[in-house]
C-alpha cells in the first residue's frame, strides 16, 4: 500500500496495479516503445512509483529530474536528447506552449486526477502501435544526473539488474519486512528515495507513506498517524528536528504512539553531540551509511548492534578499498581515495568518463580511510562538488548561469560550512564596478538564480572580492579562497 500525505489517502495494491495498467496502455497508444527515453519532473506524490513501475514493465528508460527545475533548463534537457515522453507537474505543463514537437495528452488515474504527459510527435509520428516486450536485466531502467566538476552533470545509467541487486542489499542490511512502513521525505528524483526507500520497500512488501516535502512541524504527527517504522534522511533533517520547537512539542505529546526502529542518515557524518542527542531525545537509532548515484544507493552501513559514531559503517554487498599511493588497501589504512565495486555499481557512464574507473574499481572522488575493524570514515571530497543537505551541486554549472549577469566580471561558486546543510552554496563575486552597491547586486543575483537554477543550486551566501587568489596560470585557487573567506567570517 502507498499513502499520499498531500491528499491524505491510502492506495491499495489493486488500485496501484490498475493505474500501472492504465498508464501502460496510454503509453502504448502514444506509440512509445522499449528503450525510449522519458523525462520526468514531478513533486513527490503517490503517482511517482506508479509511473516508474509502468516504465519498468515496458522497458522505457526514466530520467527523473528535480521538481524545482526551471522550464528553460527542462527545455534545454529535452532539446539535447531524444525524449519520447515528458511527464511534468501542472505548473510546468502550462508553460510548455507553442511547441512544434510536444503534444499534450492527459490521463486520469486513481493516484492522480489529471496527469500531464507530453509526447514527442516528431519521434513517434511514423510509428505503428506495438505491444511491449519484457525488458532484459541488462537494459537501462533509470538515468540519473550526478554533478561532476566540469559543470555538466554526468548521466548515470542504471540497469534493471543493478537496481534489483541494490534494493535487495538494502532490504537485508536494514532488516526490512512486510511489517515495516517507510515515510519518504527526500525528493523522489533522487537515488535515495528511488531505491533505498521505494524499491526496497516494494520488494519487501512493506508500506510507503509519501510526503511532498519534509516538514519538521508535521514529521512526528505523520510518523505516529501512519505507523512509520523507519525513514531515510540527511543530517540536515536530523539537525532541524532537534531544534524545531513544534516538532519537539508534538513528539513529547505522541511519544507513546511512535514506534520507529531507526532513522537512516547519509551524505555527511553527524557531529557526535547531535548523533547522541537525537537518539536520546527521540528514542530512535540512527544508522549512518555511505553511497551515491553510481552505486544505486548505499555501499556501507553501520550494523544495528555495532555502530561507530562518526563512521559511515562497514561495506555491505560491496567491495570497498582505499587507493593509497597506487595500492588498494582494505584495512587500517591511511587517508586516500575511496574506491568501490560490486553487483550494484556501474562500470561506465552513459557519456564515457574513463578516468573514473581503474582495474575494475569505481573511483568515487571521495577521500576517507578504513579503521582496523573495516569501518569507513569519509573525510572529504577530492572533487569540487558542493554537498548541500545531500544535494550535489556542480560549481561550474552554477557559475556559468550566474556569469550572465551584467554586473559580474568573474564569479566563483564554492561550498562554505553550514551547520544545518553541511555546505552552503556560496557565490563569490568580482564585480565590474567596484563601487556598485553590494546589497543591490546581491538581490539581483538571488532573483536571477530563483528563475534560472533549481532551488538546491541557488546560492544562499554572497561575498564580494576585489580579486581571487590564483596560481601562476591565473586559475582560481579555490581552497585558498575558502580559507580567506573563513578568516573574514571569523573576524566579524
Amino acid at each position: 500500500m502507498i499513502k499520499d500525505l498531500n491528499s491524505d489517502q491510502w492506495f491499495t495494491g489493486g488500485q496501484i496495479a490498475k493505474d500501472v495498467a492504465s498508464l501502460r496502455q496510454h503509453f502504448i497508444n502514444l506509440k512509445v516503445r522499449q528503450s525510449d527515453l522519458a523525462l520526468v519532473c514531478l513533486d513527490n506524490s503517490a503517482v511517482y512509483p506508479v509511473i516508474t513501475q509502468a516504465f519498468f514493465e515496458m522497458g522505457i528508460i526514466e530520467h527523473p529530474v528535480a521538481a524545482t527545475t526551471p522550464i528553460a533548463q527542462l527545455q534545454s534537457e529535452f532539446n539535447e536528447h531524444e525524449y519520447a515522453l515528458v511527464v511534468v507537474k501542472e505548473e510546468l505543463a502550462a508553460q510548455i506552449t507553442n511547441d512544434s514537437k510536444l503534444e499534450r495528452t492527459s490521463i486520469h488515474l486513481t493516484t492522480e486526477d489529471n496527469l500531464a504527459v507530453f509526447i514527442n510527435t516528431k519521434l513517434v509520428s511514423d510509428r505503428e502501435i506495438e505491444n511491449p516486450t519484457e525488458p532484459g536485466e541488462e537494459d537501462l531502467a533509470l538515468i540519473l544526473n550526478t554533478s561532476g566538476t566540469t559543470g555538466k552533470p554526468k548521466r548515470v545509467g542504471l540497469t534493471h539488474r543493478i537496481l534489483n541487486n541494490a534494493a535487495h542489499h538494502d532490504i537485508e542490511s536494514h532488516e526490512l519486512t512486510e511489517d515495516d512502513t517507510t515515510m519518504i521525505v527526500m525528493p523522489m528524483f533522487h537515488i535515495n528515495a528511488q531505491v533505498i526507500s521505494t524499491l526496497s520497500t516494494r520488494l519487501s512488501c512493506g508500506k510507503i507513506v509519501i510526503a511532498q516535502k519534509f516538514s519538521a512541524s508535521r514529521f512526528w504527527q505523520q510518523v505516529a498517524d501512519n505507523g512509520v517504522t523507519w525513514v531515510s534522511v540527511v543530517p540536515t533533517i536530523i539537525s532541524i528536528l532537534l531544534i524545531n520547537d513544534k516538532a519537539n512539542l508534538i513528539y513529547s505529546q505522541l511519544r507513546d504512539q511512535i514506534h520507529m526502529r531507526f532513522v537512516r542518515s547519509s551524505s555527511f557524518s553527524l557531529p557526535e553531540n547531535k548523533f547522541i542527542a537525537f537518539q536520546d531525545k527521540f528514542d530512535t537509532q540512527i544508522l549512518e551509511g555511505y553511497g551515491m548515484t553510481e552505486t544505486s544507493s548505499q555501499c556501507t552501513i553501520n550494523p544495528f548492534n555495532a555502530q561507530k559514531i562518526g563512521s559511515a559503517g562497514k561495506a555491505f554487498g560491496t567491495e570497498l578499498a582505499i587507493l593509497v599511493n597506487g595500492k588498494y588497501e582494505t584495512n587500517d589504512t591511511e587517508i586516500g581515495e575511496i574506491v568501490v565495486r560490486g553487483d550494484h555499481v556501474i562500470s561506465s557512464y552513459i557519456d564515457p568518463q574513463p578516468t573514473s574507473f581503474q582495474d575494475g574499481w569505481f573511483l568515487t572522488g571521495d577521500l576517507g580511510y578504513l579503521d582496523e575493524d573495516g569501518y569507513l570514515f569519509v573525510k572529504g571530497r577530492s572533487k569540487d562538488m558542493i554537498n548541500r543537505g545531500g544535494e550535489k551541486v556542480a560549481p561550474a554549472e552554477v557559475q556559468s548561469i550566474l556569469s550572465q549577469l551584467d554586473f559580474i566580471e568573474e564569479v566563483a561558486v564554492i561550498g562554505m560550512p553550514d551547520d544545518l546543510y553541511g555546505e552552503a552554496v556560496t557565490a563569490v563575486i568580482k564585480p565590474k564596478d567596484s563601487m556598485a552597491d553590494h546589497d543591490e547586486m546581491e538581490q539581483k543575483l538571488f532573483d536571477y538564480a530563483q528563475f534560472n537554477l533549481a532551488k538546491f543550486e541557488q546560492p544562499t551566501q554572497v561575498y564580494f572580492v576585489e580579486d581571487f587568489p590564483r596560481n601562476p596560470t591565473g586559475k582560481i585557487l579555490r581552497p585558498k579562497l575558502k580559507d580567506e573567506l573563513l578568516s573574514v567570517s571569523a573576524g566579524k
Side-chain angles (χ1 to χ4, degrees):
M1 295 179 69
I2 296 177
K3 183 175 184 178
D4 192 321
L5 289 175
N6 202 39
S7 62
D8 193 30
Q9 184 176 357
W10 279 102
F11 299 101
T12 66
Q15 290 173 312
I16 297 294
K18 183 179 178 181
D19 274 4
V20 171
S22 295
L23 266 181
R24 278 172 53 98
Q25 191 57 53
H26 189 65
F27 296 151
I28 291 171
N29 293 341
L30 292 175
K31 304 177 184 177
V32 184
R33 296 176 178 174
Q34 184 175 334
S35 299
D36 276 343
L37 297 177
L39 186 61
V40 177
C41 184
L42 294 171
D43 291 313
N44 284 15
S45 74
V47 80
Y48 221 123
V50 170
I51 294 169
T52 299
Q53 180 61 29
F55 287 155
F56 282 177
E57 291 182 10
M58 293 184 66
I60 297 170
I61 304 168
E62 180 183 13
H63 184 185
V65 295
T68 57
T69 302
I71 188 64
Q73 199 171 324
L74 198 70
Q75 189 70 50
S76 176
E77 176 67 34
F78 173 78
N79 291 336
E80 188 171 353
H81 304 288
E82 281 287 290
Y83 290 96
L85 287 173
V86 181
V87 184
V88 295
K89 56 185 179 180
E90 185 58 40
E91 174 188 336
L92 288 175
Q95 298 178 51
I96 301 177
T97 58
N98 301 320
D99 193 292
S100 58
K101 293 183 181 179
L102 289 173
E103 178 180 306
R104 178 170 178 166
T105 69
S106 297
I107 180 170
H108 174 79
L109 302 169
T110 307
T111 50
E112 182 73 30
D113 284 338
N114 195 36
L115 182 67
V117 178
F118 288 84
I119 184 69
N120 184 343
T121 56
K122 185 176 180 181
L123 184 66
V124 306
S125 59
D126 293 332
R127 292 179 175 178
E128 299 293 331
I129 293 178
E130 292 182 359
N131 287 321
T133 57
E134 185 175 321
E137 285 193 353
E138 299 305 323
D139 289 337
L140 283 182
L142 278 179
I143 293 176
L144 299 175
N145 290 346
T146 185
S147 297
T149 57
T150 62
K152 187 175 180 60
K154 296 176 182 177
R155 294 189 302 154
V156 178
L158 302 172
T159 65
H160 291 270
R161 176 185 60 82
I162 283 177
L163 291 170
N164 184 65
N165 290 337
H168 278 97
H169 292 318
D170 295 340
I171 291 168
E172 186 177 352
S173 62
H174 294 88
E175 300 178 7
L176 301 182
T177 72
E178 61 183 10
D179 296 324
D180 278 306
T181 298
T182 190
M183 182 166 71
I184 297 176
V185 296
M186 300 287 284
M188 294 188 73
F189 77 93
H190 238 241
I191 192 65
N192 191 302
Q194 283 275 346
V195 177
I196 292 177
S197 297
T198 304
L199 189 56
S200 66
T201 300
R202 290 185 58 214
L203 291 176
S204 59
C205 301
K207 296 178 182 178
I208 301 172
V209 176
I210 300 174
Q212 185 169 330
K213 59 183 179 180
F214 167 71
S215 168
S217 61
R218 297 174 183 166
F219 182 84
W220 293 115
Q221 187 73 58
Q222 292 166 339
V223 168
D225 288 347
N226 298 290
V228 174
T229 60
W230 70 281
V231 184
S232 184
V233 301
V234 289
T236 302
I237 289 177
I238 288 174
S239 298
I240 291 173
L241 288 171
L242 279 169
I243 63 176
N244 187 277
D245 291 337
K246 189 170 183 180
N248 280 270
L249 175 62
I250 292 175
Y251 178 81
S252 66
Q253 295 171 341
L254 300 175
R255 179 189 297 267
D256 293 340
Q257 301 173 46
I258 293 170
H259 306 287
M260 289 264 282
R261 290 203 298 120
F262 65 93
V263 168
R264 185 193 183 283
S265 178
S266 62
S267 181
F268 57 92
S269 293
L270 276 164
E272 184 174 354
N273 62 330
K274 289 186 178 181
F275 188 105
I276 294 173
F278 186 91
Q279 290 198 148
D280 289 348
K281 178 178 283 191
F282 300 121
D283 193 27
T284 300
Q285 185 171 2
I286 295 175
L287 293 184
E288 289 194 291
Y290 167 79
M292 61 199 69
T293 306
E294 290 90 340
T295 65
S296 193
S297 67
Q298 71 178 22
C299 299
T300 68
I301 191 74
N302 267 276
F304 276 99
N305 301 315
Q307 63 186 23
K308 283 193 179 183
I309 297 176
S311 86
K314 305 181 76 170
F316 196 99
T318 312
E319 288 187 73
L320 173 68
I322 305 298
L323 184 57
V324 182
N325 298 323
K327 296 182 179 179
Y328 302 101
E329 307 287 348
T330 58
N331 195 55
D332 196 13
T333 74
E334 298 177 14
I335 292 178
E337 183 170 10
I338 301 168
V339 299
V340 296
R341 62 187 179 192
D343 62 9
H344 61 103
V345 182
I346 65 169
S347 56
S348 65
Y349 286 96
I350 291 179
D351 310 301
Q353 302 281 341
T355 58
S356 296
F357 303 88
Q358 180 176 295
D359 302 326
W361 295 93
F362 169 63
L363 311 182
T364 68
D366 291 331
L367 301 175
Y369 69 91
L370 292 167
D371 71 6
E372 65 278 5
D373 298 317
Y375 284 75
L376 174 67
F377 289 79
V378 182
K379 305 306 293 181
R381 291 179 302 282
S382 60
K383 303 175 184 178
D384 290 332
M385 288 186 297
I386 299 168
N387 190 335
R388 183 191 180 278
E391 299 281 5
K392 303 296 176 62
V393 179
E397 185 177 22
V398 179
Q399 288 167 189
S400 176
I401 298 294
L402 297 182
S403 63
Q404 298 176 46
L405 287 163
D406 58 9
F407 61 83
I408 292 178
E409 180 174 323
E410 193 172 7
V411 56
V413 174
I414 61 174
M416 291 287 283
D418 185 286
D419 288 340
L420 198 56
Y421 289 97
E423 287 185 304
V425 180
T426 304
V428 188
I429 306 296
K430 179 182 178 182
K432 290 179 180 178
D433 180 3
S434 60
M435 302 301 291
D437 184 271
H438 286 186
D439 289 340
E440 183 178 341
M441 287 189 288
E442 180 176 280
Q443 190 57 53
K444 285 182 178 179
L445 183 145
F446 287 151
D447 291 343
Y448 185 79
Q450 184 178 358
F451 288 98
N452 291 277
L453 291 166
K455 188 173 182 179
F456 66 88
E457 296 174 317
Q458 297 169 19
T460 56
Q461 296 181 6
V462 178
Y463 288 85
F464 293 90
V465 296
E466 293 183 2
D467 203 355
F468 297 96
R470 304 176 188 273
N471 67 11
T473 65
K475 184 178 179 181
I476 296 173
L477 298 171
R478 303 172 73 87
K480 187 173 181 181
L481 173 63
K482 185 173 181 177
D483 288 341
E484 289 179 356
L485 296 180
L486 287 170
S487 297
V488 170
S489 299
K492 290 183 177 179

